[in-house]
Amino acid sequence: MDDHRRQGIGMTSRRTRERLAGRLGDAGIRDARVLNVMRQIPRHLFVDEALASRAYEDTALPIGHGQTISQPFVVARMTEILIRDRIPSRVLEVGTGSGYQAAVLAALVDEVCTIERIRALYERSRALFRQLGIGNMRQRLGDGFEGWPSAAPFDAIILTAAPETVPPALFEQLADDGQLMAPVGGGGTQELRVWHRRAGAFDEQTVEAVSFVPMRGGIEG
């Protein structure tokens, strides 16, 4: 990949990423590790070139196929919660989408396993991860409702699309002392919830209101 494109210029430059990190800090993101990664990851590469000048706005953007790249604050917030108590070694992400959330996680944890049901997004993100040299990423084209049984258990599981209820298979693939994070509910607004698994039992916490695309089953394309 051309280094100028990777580093960005103008509205996609490192200085713009610095300003984004500053705004995230002002908005309540406190974890310095997360803010540092948000400075490093070139979000403009995860959106269409026509939208690159808007990549560092704190807003969700379309990536095609009825999907979006989450706003940076939501990515940072979910990441901050995920590593708050300890950094998980292995994380399962359900819904690769653009690949941005997975790239942020990969900069912080040992291994990210990520599932995408839309073939075009799977192939696009796969190529981008290779171009960026992200070596601790495993990808699968599959149905997120099924999870990734052969790779389980996971220290953490994060959903980037909203189911009406979390699929039981995902709870089964969570390691003891692990946590699962998901936006839950129908319509345009959901609740971000976190479950901790301790001795086989689950403690549930509601964090805040969020807005995600609905979680779908099956494979498309």
Side-chain angles (χ1 to χ4, degrees), residues 5-8 12 17 42-48 52 55-56:
R5 179 167 177 254
R6 178 171 179 166
Q7 294 300 321
T12 64
R17 291 195 288 280
R43 189 173 186 253
H44 63 279
L45 299 181
F46 293 86
V47 301
D48 290 337
Y56 298 103

Side-chain angles (χ1 to χ4, degrees), residues 22-207:
R23 293 196 303 273
L24 294 175
D26 292 342
I29 303 301
R30 296 288 176 255
D31 194 307
R33 298 166 298 181
V34 174
L35 291 173
N36 185 54
V37 171
M38 300 299 283
R39 291 186 184 97
Q40 300 297 325
I41 302 296
R43 189 173 186 253
H44 63 279
L45 299 181
F46 293 86
V47 301
D48 290 337
E49 286 193 42
L51 294 173
S53 64
R54 298 187 59 198
Y56 298 103
E57 297 176 8
D58 191 24
T59 186
L61 295 170
I63 58 172
H65 308 277
Q67 306 298 302
T68 61
I69 180 174
S70 294
Q71 70 182 93
F73 177 82
V74 171
V75 172
R77 178 75 168 130
M78 293 177 74
T79 304
E80 183 176 59
I81 293 169
L82 203 71
I83 67 170
R84 180 171 52 197
D85 298 328
R86 63 185 176 94
I87 296 182
S89 178
R90 301 181 69 244
V91 177
L92 172 65
E93 179 197 40
V94 178
T96 314
S98 69
Y100 182 62
Q101 174 73 81
V104 169
L105 290 171
L108 292 163
V109 308
D110 291 336
E111 183 180 51
V112 176
C113 298
T114 181
I115 303 172
E116 175 55 52
R117 61 176 291 271
I118 300 173
R119 186 178 299 274
L121 295 180
Y122 164 79
E123 293 177 349
R124 185 190 307 168
S125 61
R126 186 177 181 84
L128 183 54
F129 293 147
R130 287 176 174 171
Q131 290 170 359
L132 291 173
I134 300 175
N136 60 335
M137 187 84 68
R138 292 177 63 188
Q139 287 184 267
R140 180 185 181 194
L141 178 67
D143 187 337
F145 281 87
E146 300 172 359
W148 198 332
S150 63
F154 301 97
D155 302 306
I157 298 175
I158 181 171
L159 279 64
T160 59
E164 291 282 352
T165 58
V166 176
L170 298 182
F171 285 115
E172 293 170 4
Q173 292 169 35
L174 188 65
D176 200 40
D177 202 30
Q179 63 176 322
L180 185 152
M181 184 187 313
V184 179
T189 302
Q190 303 91 25
E191 292 180 336
L192 182 62
R193 300 180 190 173
V194 179
W195 288 263
H196 287 87
R197 182 173 191 170
R198 297 185 176 93
F202 292 90
D203 298 327
E204 180 181 348
Q205 174 190 7
T206 298
V207 180

